[in-house]
């Protein structure tokens, strides 16, 4: 009977050791889970911050694009008006040259 008790004690010791090993593995796994959850929370916070920054940048960009488009429109209108002024100036200059040319051929100016 003592031999059976010794065998039973050996089984018990192995069983206790296996249970202790499983408990240690569970503790280690719990630590890893906690670290992973902390990392996940940190990343989610960073994503939120970056999303807010992205939203601000997008709004700023949209405002700048709208301003640039308005400036493009103003510039095009100004250039068109300036081209009309140049065209009118050229027309005025041509008319003036014709008038001066006509006056040079006028008999009244030749006698002076």
């Amino acid at each position: 009977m003592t031999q059976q008790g010794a065998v039973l004690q050996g089984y018990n010791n192995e069983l206790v050791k296996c249970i202790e090993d499983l408990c240690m593995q569970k503790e280690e796994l719990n630590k890893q889970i906690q670290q992973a959850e902390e990392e996940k929370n940190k990343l989610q916070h960073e994503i939120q911050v970056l999303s807010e920054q992205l939203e601000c940048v997008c709004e700023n960009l949209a405002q700048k694009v709208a301003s640039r488009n308005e400036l493009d429109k103003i510039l095009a209108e100004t250039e068109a008006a300036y081209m009309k002024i140049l065209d009118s100036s050229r027309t005025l200059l041509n008319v003036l040259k014709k008038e001066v040319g006509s006056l040079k051929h006028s008999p009244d100016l030749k006698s002076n």
Side-chain angles (χ1 to χ4, degrees):
M1 187 83 158
T2 53
Q3 185 176 4
Q4 291 174 340
V7 170
L8 184 59
Q9 184 65 36
Y11 290 155
N12 187 48
N13 289 342
E14 281 189 56
L15 183 59
V16 168
K17 183 169 178 5
C18 286
I19 291 173
E20 288 174 351
D21 287 347
L22 287 175
C23 287
M24 289 175 45
Q25 288 178 7
K26 179 184 172 187
E27 285 181 33
E28 180 60 31
L29 193 55
N30 280 338
K31 288 179 186 177
Q32 292 174 0
I33 289 171
Q34 184 178 2
Q35 288 173 345
E37 286 177 348
E38 289 173 1
E39 181 69 14
K40 178 186 130 193
N41 291 337
K42 177 184 168 194
L43 291 173
Q44 284 178 330
H45 177 71
E46 289 176 11
I47 288 170
Q48 181 181 355
V49 169
L50 289 173
S51 293
E52 291 170 3
Q53 289 176 350
L54 178 61
E55 186 177 333
C56 289
V57 168
C58 287
E59 288 175 8
N60 192 350
L61 178 61
Q63 290 173 351
K64 287 181 180 186
V65 168
S67 294
R68 182 192 61 193
N69 291 343
E70 185 64 24
L71 287 175
D72 284 345
K73 179 183 171 189
I74 292 169
L75 184 59
E77 291 172 354
T78 303
E79 287 175 345
Y82 184 68
M83 292 307 291
K84 288 180 182 179
I85 291 170
L86 288 178
D87 189 44
S88 296
S89 296
R90 186 180 70 242
T91 302
L92 178 62
L93 181 60
N94 288 338
V95 168
L96 184 59
K97 284 181 180 179
K98 285 181 186 177
E99 292 295 323
V100 169
S102 297
L103 287 175
K104 287 183 180 177
H105 292 51
S106 171
D108 293 337
L109 287 179
K110 287 185 178 181
S111 62
N112 285 346

